[in-house]
Amino acid sequence: MRTSGGPQSPAAVTPDGVLEAGGVTYRVDRARAEDVPAIVDLLRDDVLGAQREDHDLAAYERAFEAIDRDPSHYLACARDSQGQVVGVMQLTLLPGLSRGGALRLQIEGVRVAATTRGSGLGGAMFDWAHAYGRSRGARFVQLTTDRSRADAHRFYERLGYRATHEGYKLPLD
């Protein structure tokens, strides 16, 4: 059963976190502390991540603890049939005054293992994330992605996302 997604979402998602993509079954659940090394490996597995991600796992473990204890955050892992992390995304519920006090779902840190790219897993993860947001009262979803990620831009547009805003960042360190 597909619960959400854009016009070309090819996957099936069930409410219990079971994803079907490309004839393969995956499960989405909350990340655990022991998943941090695998998540960091996924973050490093692209041109930008290879340049900016650190090798000091202690910093990632501290960040994981902060994310895990805050109920507004859900660090979601997609797992293959052996329980290996093959996808990750961080979901954050953000209350806001704009748009009539709408709750929004922020999606960031999306990565899918190179071995599963093109299988439909990414679309299934987004279907699951959209259902997660809806079930908690989110009225819309937003995400950011680096301008240089042309493949990611095409993927998000296939899911129905539109580049409607400009984003800015300023390092504080």
Side-chain angles (χ1 to χ4, degrees), residues 48-110:
L48 292 176
Q51 297 170 13
R52 68 180 176 207
E53 299 303 334
D54 198 344
H55 290 280
D56 176 15
L57 280 182
Y60 294 99
E61 290 163 347
R62 286 189 301 274
F64 172 81
E65 289 171 11
I67 292 165
D68 196 48
R69 76 174 158 259
D70 184 336
S72 296
H73 296 282
Y74 191 103
L75 188 58
C77 286
R79 300 177 192 279
D80 65 15
S81 61
Q82 287 78 45
Q84 299 300 307
V85 176
V86 294
V88 66
M89 59 174 34
Q90 182 174 340
L91 309 178
T92 304
L93 293 166
L94 300 166
L97 291 176
S98 66
R99 297 181 183 228
L103 183 68
R104 66 189 72 199
L105 174 65
Q106 172 81 24
I107 301 177
E108 55 190 297
V110 179

Side-chain angles (χ1 to χ4, degrees), residues 109-128:
V110 179
R111 298 292 190 284
V112 173
T115 57
T116 61
R117 288 182 199 140
S119 70
L121 175 59
M125 289 171 57
F126 270 82
D127 284 348
W128 181 87

Side-chain angles (χ1 to χ4, degrees), residues 37-51:
I39 292 168
V40 172
D41 285 346
L42 286 175
L43 293 173
R44 283 189 198 121
D45 187 27
D46 69 22
V47 174
L48 292 176
Q51 297 170 13

